[in-house]
Amino acid sequence: MSDSLDLLDGVAALIVANVPGTAYNPAGTYTAGQVGIFNMLMPTAPDEAIALTWVPQVEHPSMPQGVGLLQVRCRGAANVPRRPVELLDQISTLFLGRMAIHLTPTLQIMQVRERVRAPLGMDESKRWDWTDNYTLDVAYTPTTARPAGGNW
C-alpha cells in the first residue's frame, strides 16, 4: 500500500469504530441502512455517504513528516438537511485536539491542527452535502531518502 491510502483506511476504521451506522468496504458495496465510507469519490448511492480525501501539502525534505488536508465530506438522505452536519459533528470529536493517532505501526497523525467546515449545497436528489477540512501533521513511513530521525 501507500501512506496516502493507509491514512484513508486508518481514518475510515477510526470512524467505523466510533460513529454508529458507518461502514467501510474498500470495494464500495454496502447494505441498506449503512452509511458507506468511500475514498476520494462521492458516489451516487447510497444516499448517506462519507467521502475521505487526503491531499498532501508540505513535505519535509529530509524527514518522513508532512502537513496535509484531510477532507471529510458527508451527504445525507433526501430532504434531511441536518444529517450531514450530525455525522460531521460526531467525526469531529474523533479528531479535534487529538495528537498521536496511530494508523499503522509506521504511520501516524501527529496532530490535528484545525478544521474548516463548509456547506457544499444540495444535489438534484435533494441530498445535502457538507465538508470538514482538517489540517494534519503526519509522520509518514520512513524511507531511504527520509529516514526516521532525519538524513542529516
Side-chain angles (χ1 to χ4, degrees), residues 11-77:
V11 167
L14 186 63
I15 293 169
V16 168
N18 292 281
V19 179
T22 59
Y24 179 57
N25 177 351
T29 55
Y30 297 95
T31 61
Q34 289 182 318
V35 178
I37 300 175
F38 299 86
N39 287 335
M40 300 172 280
L41 171 70
M42 183 62 79
T44 56
D47 283 338
E48 290 191 347
I50 299 168
L52 303 174
T53 302
W54 172 243
V55 182
Q57 293 178 321
V58 178
E59 302 290 327
H60 195 285
S62 60
M63 293 178 62
Q65 295 179 359
V67 177
L69 176 77
L70 174 67
Q71 181 186 53
V72 181
R73 183 176 164 194
C74 290
R75 182 181 63 216

Side-chain angles (χ1 to χ4, degrees), residues 101-122:
I101 302 171
H102 294 271
L103 302 175
T104 73
T106 60
L107 175 67
Q108 73 170 308
I109 298 170
M110 297 185 303
Q111 178 178 337
V112 179
R113 287 200 274 149
E114 59 193 12
R115 172 191 71 181
V116 176
R117 179 172 288 179
L120 299 176
M122 182 176 59

Side-chain angles (χ1 to χ4, degrees), residues 87-151:
L87 286 168
L88 288 172
D89 283 348
Q90 291 177 60
I91 293 167
S92 73
T93 64
L94 304 175
F95 292 108
L96 288 176
R98 291 279 307 270
M99 297 178 75
I101 302 171
H102 294 271
L103 302 175
T104 73
T106 60
L107 175 67
Q108 73 170 308
I109 298 170
M110 297 185 303
Q111 178 178 337
V112 179
R113 287 200 274 149
E114 59 193 12
R115 172 191 71 181
V116 176
R117 179 172 288 179
L120 299 176
M122 182 176 59
D123 68 11
E124 62 281 350
S125 298
K126 300 186 189 253
R127 301 177 300 187
W128 280 93
D129 208 341
W130 283 73
T131 184
D132 275 357
N133 298 299
Y134 296 91
T135 301
L136 307 179
D137 292 330
V138 176
Y140 293 110
T141 303
T143 64
T144 303
R146 296 178 0 161
N151 66 2

